[in-house]
Structures are given as structure tokens and as C-alpha cells.
Amino acid sequence: MTNYGTISTSSSPSANLEYISRAKDRLKAGLGTRRPWKLMYDFRSLGLPGGLRDAIARVRTNAAYFRTNYAIVVLAILFLSLLWHPISLIVFVVMMAVWLFLYFLRDEPLVLLGRPIDDRIVLAVLAVLTVVFLLLTRATTNILVALLIGAVVVVLHAAFRKTDDLSLDEENAGLLTSAGAAGSSSS
């Protein structure tokens, strides 16, 4: 006897829920490196740098400490600049989904023609494809201006944000100590 109207599924609902749960956990872990916005925009922590060396040191420290926040800021500025270019916005959203599935949310190495692909290659290919696809939408000026504005906003914030109240982890502290030692040895 045939059962009309029944749909056979190859994957169980629990497997789909497990994938969604893993995806949420990986997104939370990725965004877990984000620092609190209150700390980033604490107006009491803003002040003029003592000079060019102090500004450069602040930019290095703040860039290491707030790197995820700065990436979110630049992406938000880019997203807002594309609101007047719907095709570019669609391409941007599609490429963000591709990034999520091919780079951020996968548990296993990407395999192409039976060979595993290194994450650095995936990163480079996705970055190039994103830029190329966005430039093909003829919003080149908007994209470049948005990236320039994002870079200026990040550098200005990093230069004027004091670093006295930041508690760095060992990895960043070692990186910044060696950068600071290199900068002080040249004086």
C-alpha cells in the first residue's frame, strides 16, 4: 500500500536541533571575545594622548583589547552604508551566511575533492570573494567610504581611549609588552 502525502526525511529533527544548538554555542563563543560596550564607551576613560608615541601605544593596546568590538563597529558601518544599495545589501547578507557556514560554524575541516582545505585558504578565498562580489554590485564608492569611515572611527577611539583600566590576558599582555619594548628601544 502506498502512503500518499507522506514526506520522508533523511535527517531527524533532533539532528537539526543539535546543529542549531552547536551553531548558537559557537556564535556565543565567538562573540564571547567581545568586550562590554559600557567599558568601550566609558566617557571617563577618554582623554587626549600625551603625544604621538602615546597615541600609537593606545591604538595598539586598544586594538588588541577591543578587536571584536571594532570588527562589529566596522561591519555595522558597512551594513548601514549598503542600505541604499539593496543588491549590495543582499550580497553582503548572503556572504555573511556563507562565512558563518563555511568558516565560523563548521566543526570539521572543509574537504574539496577528497582533500582537506586549510582554514587560512578558506579565510583568504572568502575574503576575496566577499570583496569581489560586493564590488561587482557597483557600490564601490559606498564600500570604500564605509571602510574608510570605519577605520577612522576605530583609530580615533583607540587613540583617545585611555588604557589604564584595561586588564589584558596573558597572550595580549605579552604581545603588547614586546611591542612596547620595541617602541621604547628605538627612543
Side-chain angles (χ1 to χ4, degrees):
M1 178 173 174
T2 349
N3 290 332
Y4 293 104
T6 59
I7 300 172
S8 64
T9 58
S10 59
S11 63
S12 67
S14 63
N16 291 337
L17 290 176
E18 180 183 332
Y19 179 76
I20 292 171
S21 176
R22 278 195 327 241
K24 283 173 56 178
D25 290 342
R26 295 192 83 178
L27 276 174
K28 284 180 184 178
L31 291 176
T33 60
R34 177 186 57 83
R35 305 298 180 168
W37 294 105
K38 285 183 181 181
L39 178 65
M40 187 172 166
Y41 292 112
D42 183 10
F43 291 112
R44 294 182 305 253
S45 296
L46 296 177
L48 290 173
L52 183 60
R53 285 183 194 263
D54 186 31
I56 291 171
R58 284 184 182 187
V59 169
R60 284 183 179 162
T61 303
N62 284 323
Y65 192 80
F66 293 114
R67 68 179 170 262
T68 303
N69 297 66
Y70 287 153
I72 291 170
V73 168
V74 171
L75 286 173
I77 291 170
L78 180 59
F79 177 81
L80 291 174
S81 77
L82 295 176
L83 285 177
W84 291 270
H85 294 275
I87 301 298
S88 299
L89 188 59
I90 291 168
V91 168
F92 181 75
V93 169
V94 167
M95 287 309 297
M96 291 306 288
V98 170
W99 274 86
L100 283 173
F101 288 109
L102 292 181
Y103 190 73
F104 293 111
L105 298 181
R106 63 185 165 81
D107 293 331
E108 301 167 1
L110 192 61
V111 177
L112 186 63
L113 301 173
R115 294 180 175 228
I117 307 296
D118 186 44
D119 277 349
R120 293 175 294 189
I121 294 173
V122 175
L123 177 69
V125 168
L126 285 175
V128 168
L129 286 177
T130 302
V131 170
V132 167
F133 288 150
L134 282 174
L135 292 177
L136 288 175
T137 64
R138 298 189 180 170
T140 307
T141 305
N142 271 35
I143 294 165
L144 295 177
V145 168
L147 291 175
L148 180 64
I149 290 171
V152 167
V153 166
V154 165
V155 169
L156 283 175
H157 178 271
F160 286 100
R161 171 72 169 76
K162 296 177 195 170
T163 58
D164 305 341
D165 61 338
L166 303 180
S167 60
L168 298 170
D169 55 8
E170 292 85 25
E171 180 182 325
N172 287 338
L175 173 72
L176 296 172
T177 304
S178 63
S184 63
S185 65
S186 63
S187 33

